[in-house]
């Protein structure tokens, strides 16, 4: 007896249309928060000398709310998320969400995190591969980049590659690993010197010892 497949609505996991459909649905959240801002139910965060108000940032399926650290804003966020659930049919996973706040007490943070049923963010944290809440002028922030470059230009690779292959690998390292950080932060001089030393040692056959940045 053969089993027949019954056509159904929906998308399979990994379908290339999924991100597009999610972005279309997520536009509803932008509309909800715009209405809340117009009616004074939510106050965004004023950024820069021009006091540009930022309230919502979205990247793919990640959403970040920005606003004043007040209970009125927290209640508004929970209300807006509940409305979004009802109109979209999506379920918000608050347990995977995080709350970060500046200029308030730890007690207030704990109360708000309990109200939203989410976890507290500890600073610094990493978002989309970028460290948030740390000073890029400190060299230790760049240790992950140094480590990745050292692993990519490992000594065993040096022994099995021609000179041209080593040049190609160094070029790929310059375009793939540190350039992402460089687009956000100004790299300290000590970090530049360290990266140059790693490349020279790999190219000319020097020792690939790991040296910590002072």
């Amino acid at each position: 007896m053969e089993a027949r497949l019954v056509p159904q609505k929906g998308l399979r996991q990994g379908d290339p249309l999924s991100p597009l459909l999610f972005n279309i649905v997520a536009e509803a959240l932008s509309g909800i928060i715009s209405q809340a801002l117009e009616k004074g139910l939510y106050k965004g965060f004023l950024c820069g000398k021009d006091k540009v108000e930022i309230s919502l940032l979205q990247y793919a399926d990640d959403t970040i709310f920005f606003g004043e650290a007040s209970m009125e804003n927290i209640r508004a966020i929970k209300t807006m998320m509940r409305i979004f659930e009802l109109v979209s049919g999506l379920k918000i996973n608050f347990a995977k969400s995080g709350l970060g706040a500046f200029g308030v007490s730890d007690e207030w943070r704990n109360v708000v995190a309990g109200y939203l049923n989410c976890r507290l963010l500890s600073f610094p944290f990493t978002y989309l591969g970028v460290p948030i809440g740390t000073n890029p002028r400190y060299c230790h922030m760049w240790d992950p980049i140094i480590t990745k470059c050292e692993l990519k230009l490992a000594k065993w690779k040096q022994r099995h590659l021609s000179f041209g292959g080593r040049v190609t690998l160094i070029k790929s390292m310059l375009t793939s690993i540190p350039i992402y950080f460089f687009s956000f932060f100004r790299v300290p001089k000590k970090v530049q010197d360290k990266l140059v030393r790693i490349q020279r040692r790999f190219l000319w056959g020097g020792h690939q010892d790991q040296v910590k940045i002072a």
Side-chain angles (χ1 to χ4, degrees):
M1 181 176 180
E2 294 184 0
R4 295 184 178 181
L5 296 177
V6 180
Q8 297 178 348
K9 296 180 180 179
L11 297 174
R12 293 181 178 181
Q13 186 175 3
D15 194 296
L17 282 178
S18 297
L20 174 61
L21 292 179
F22 183 87
N23 288 337
I24 294 175
V25 174
E27 282 295 319
L29 184 59
S30 299
I32 293 171
I33 195 170
S34 295
Q35 289 292 319
L37 289 169
E38 290 179 6
K39 296 178 181 180
L41 301 175
Y42 185 79
K43 294 182 180 180
F45 179 77
L46 300 180
C47 182
K49 63 180 181 180
D50 296 329
K51 302 299 182 182
V52 178
E53 188 176 33
I54 301 176
S55 56
L56 181 70
L57 290 179
Q58 292 177 299
Y59 181 84
D61 58 348
D62 286 333
T63 299
I64 305 178
F65 285 93
F66 290 91
E68 294 182 358
S70 64
M71 283 306 300
E72 290 77 13
N73 266 3
I74 297 300
R75 295 189 187 97
I77 288 176
K78 192 163 187 177
T79 301
M80 289 186 290
M81 299 303 286
R82 180 55 180 162
I83 293 173
F84 179 72
E85 286 183 332
L86 294 174
V87 299
S88 67
L90 299 175
K91 185 68 175 177
I92 306 298
N93 191 339
F94 286 95
K96 290 186 177 180
S97 302
L99 168 74
F102 295 97
V104 295
S105 64
D106 292 338
E107 181 181 0
W108 190 88
R109 292 190 187 93
N110 291 326
V111 170
V112 170
Y115 178 77
L116 293 175
N117 193 27
C118 67
R119 58 185 174 83
L120 281 172
L121 291 176
S122 58
F123 294 91
F125 64 94
T126 301
Y127 179 71
L128 300 178
V130 177
I132 307 297
T134 187
N135 193 336
R137 290 178 294 180
Y138 294 152
C139 292
H140 66 78
M141 192 205 80
W142 297 83
D143 281 346
I145 297 298
I146 298 298
T147 301
K148 288 182 180 179
C149 292
E150 288 177 333
L151 292 175
K152 193 172 184 67
L153 302 182
K155 191 173 182 180
W156 69 268
K157 294 183 180 179
Q158 176 197 83
R159 293 195 300 264
H160 295 85
L161 289 175
S162 64
F163 184 82
R166 278 178 266 171
V167 171
T168 302
L169 190 57
I170 289 176
K171 287 183 177 180
S172 68
M173 185 202 76
L174 289 174
T175 56
S176 61
I177 298 180
I179 200 67
Y180 182 63
F181 263 49
F182 292 168
S183 63
F184 290 96
F185 308 113
R186 179 177 294 178
V187 57
K189 183 65 167 57
K190 290 183 179 179
V191 176
Q192 294 183 40
D193 294 341
K194 174 63 176 176
L195 290 173
V196 171
R197 289 200 302 269
I198 293 173
Q199 296 167 37
R200 287 175 177 172
R201 291 172 184 172
F202 181 80
L203 184 62
W204 301 109
H207 295 291
Q208 188 69 19
D209 54 347
Q210 296 188 5
V211 179
K212 285 292 182 181
I213 305 174

